[in-house]
Amino acid sequence: MPTFILHTNVALESKDEFLANLSTLLSEMLGKPLQYIMVGYQHMPMMMGGSPDPCAFVYLASLGSFSNGGPKNKEYSKIVTEYISPRLNVPAQRVYIEFADPPRTHFGWNGSTFG
């Protein structure tokens, strides 16, 4: 159920290719089957530090992947940023990533929840 939502003020030209490659990257990074990976992209007006320069915010949720204080979050942050930054031309210091590990009972799928 890993879910990755990218909000950015940069327009993507090849959205499908970007998202397909990102899906594969996340599957490998998190060790989760590709069939459960969901990715999204939203182009919108954004500012960071009072500047409209290119920036991005990522929401990444995955059951059980970020528990125990997120010991691998620094590694995940590096991998995700290294994927996003050159493709969107967004400097790494203008990318925020939120890692979320919701309780299984708080994530619904197929008319039920995972817990």
Side-chain angles (χ1 to χ4, degrees):
M1 66 60 52
T3 304
F4 181 105
I5 306 298
L6 169 65
H7 304 277
T8 182
N9 56 357
V10 178
L12 275 172
E13 291 183 24
S14 303
K15 293 179 196 96
D16 288 342
E17 179 183 354
F18 177 88
L19 295 174
N21 291 335
L22 176 61
S23 296
T24 300
L25 175 80
L26 293 171
S27 175
E28 293 169 357
M29 179 181 89
L30 298 172
K32 306 277 184 163
L34 184 60
Q35 68 189 23
Y36 296 117
I37 305 288
M38 179 181 284
V39 295
Y41 157 80
Q42 183 176 25
H43 177 233
M44 59 194 291
M46 292 178 69
M47 283 193 162
M48 181 176 184
S51 168
D53 290 346
C55 61
F57 172 75
V58 170
Y59 173 79
L60 178 56
S62 183
L63 299 176
S65 294
F66 313 123
S67 57
N68 300 323
K72 296 191 89 175
N73 289 2
K74 284 185 180 183
E75 176 186 343
Y76 295 154
S77 182
K78 183 177 191 300
I79 291 168
V80 168
T81 302
E82 286 177 352
Y83 181 81
I84 291 172
S85 289
R87 287 163 181 83
L88 295 178
N89 205 19
V90 174
Q93 67 268 22
R94 292 187 57 83
V95 177
Y96 279 162
I97 303 170
E98 177 184 357
F99 298 98
D101 188 3
R104 298 179 80 73
T105 56
H106 287 81
F107 215 95
W109 173 73
N110 198 25
S112 187
T113 65
F114 285 95

